[in-house]
Amino acid sequence: MELKPRTPEYWESIHENLCTQVENLSRDLETRNRWDGPSPWIAFKFDWDPANLRAYIERKGLQATIGYGLGLVVRFDELAKRIQSNEQLRSRLNIAERWENEDLSQWMVLRWFDWIFHHEVAHFLCGHLSAGLPKWTEGDRAKGKDTDFTQALEFDADAFAAFSFFTFLEHCLKKNIHQDFYGTNDVGAIFWDFGILFAGLFVEFEKMNPHDKVRTHPTAPQRFVCLIVEGGAAYQAALGRSASAEWTSFTQGITVGLVFSGEDGKRLADLLSSTQLDVAKWKKALLKAGILKKRLLRAPNDWLRR
């Protein structure tokens, strides 16, 4: 397998695919939530600055604009290249069997930005933005708030993103979108691959924001636990039956992704085994701030209502 040259055309292709991705995801949100307001609900803006590793979302009335920097795309592309150059890991991706000689970097990058989209949109739909704070940029502390409160908002966004991402995934599987690309109806194979991809993403998150440093987010292990717990519950609720087979494949894929990610993967695995969530502290802070009343969209089984 030979990687495609990283030419200007390559980056333009990713840009075009991201535009399409946001457009489709926004349209799905509008349809599933019977949105009758201005469209698109979520617009997209791309910054071609290679030094910009940020993602953001900005509220304008009842609509919002989500933005990514080229630097973040490049960082995710570097991660994709590392996975593909790791033959032990790439060979364990089920998708690699069908696309054996293809550069799968763009496919991986788009899957990761699928998650980023749901996280950013959560800041908007969960009521984190207001006239006093119309824009949320990842890595910035919430205006006028301390780091602990910012971490609580980020956990809230992760919990909603897990619900939204896996609810949308169930919708896509029902329409055979992923199955058509894989050339198989084996949903377990798809969940296995998603587990590997998320393992790689959260290994990268730990490198970007080490757990032992001051951060605006919960630690990468805490965020990963949130995704696994909240995502599993959301997918099963959307499916309407037990999802134990799919979730077993997903967690097995995570294990494989961590095992074959070298020392970075081992470090994250060790951290996961001892991770605890500060749920009570985060919940108290958000309820005191009245976040529930600011929700634009209520998720079933909202963690703040439990």
Side-chain angles (χ1 to χ4, degrees), residues 83-199:
I83 290 176
Q84 295 204 96
S85 63
N86 182 341
E87 185 54 35
Q88 285 185 308
L89 183 53
R90 188 184 191 277
S91 65
R92 284 167 171 77
L93 284 167
N94 290 294
I95 193 65
E97 293 184 13
R98 184 176 192 203
W99 305 98
E100 182 178 0
N101 298 314
E102 294 292 324
D103 182 350
L104 296 171
S105 297
Q106 286 203 37
W107 173 76
M108 295 183 194
V109 169
L110 288 171
R111 299 290 70 74
W112 292 322
F113 272 106
D114 195 349
W115 168 257
I116 298 297
F117 172 90
H118 287 283
H119 175 89
E120 295 307 316
V121 165
H123 286 303
F124 171 51
L125 297 179
C126 288
H128 300 172
L129 305 180
S130 63
L133 182 66
K135 184 176 181 179
W136 187 279
T137 302
E138 295 302 321
D140 287 353
R141 193 173 66 184
K143 184 180 179 181
K145 304 296 183 181
D146 59 23
T147 300
D148 286 344
F149 187 74
T150 302
Q151 288 180 1
L153 291 174
E154 290 292 3
F155 180 82
D156 192 31
D158 277 341
F160 184 90
F163 153 73
S164 184
F165 179 94
F166 284 100
T167 300
F168 180 65
L169 177 58
E170 190 277 335
H171 173 71
C172 290
L173 292 171
K174 189 180 295 183
K175 295 175 67 175
N176 292 318
I177 293 174
H178 291 292
Q179 294 94 318
D180 289 345
F181 184 68
Y182 270 74
T184 177
N185 288 321
D186 185 355
V187 174
I190 297 170
F191 270 87
W192 170 284
D193 283 6
F194 273 63
I196 291 176
L197 292 184
F198 271 115

Side-chain angles (χ1 to χ4, degrees), residues 216-252:
T216 55
H217 291 68
T219 66
Q222 287 174 326
R223 299 183 70 190
F224 208 174
V225 169
C226 175
L227 178 144
I228 294 168
V229 173
E230 298 293 329
Y235 181 74
Q236 182 161 294
L239 195 62
R241 61 167 175 79
S242 172
S244 60
E246 293 95 323
W247 219 246
T248 296
S249 295
F250 183 65
T251 54
Q252 287 175 340

Side-chain angles (χ1 to χ4, degrees), residues 188-209:
I190 297 170
F191 270 87
W192 170 284
D193 283 6
F194 273 63
I196 291 176
L197 292 184
F198 271 115
L201 179 63
F202 280 88
V203 165
E204 193 67 15
F205 282 165
E206 171 61 21
K207 292 166 66 177
M208 294 170 73
N209 298 286

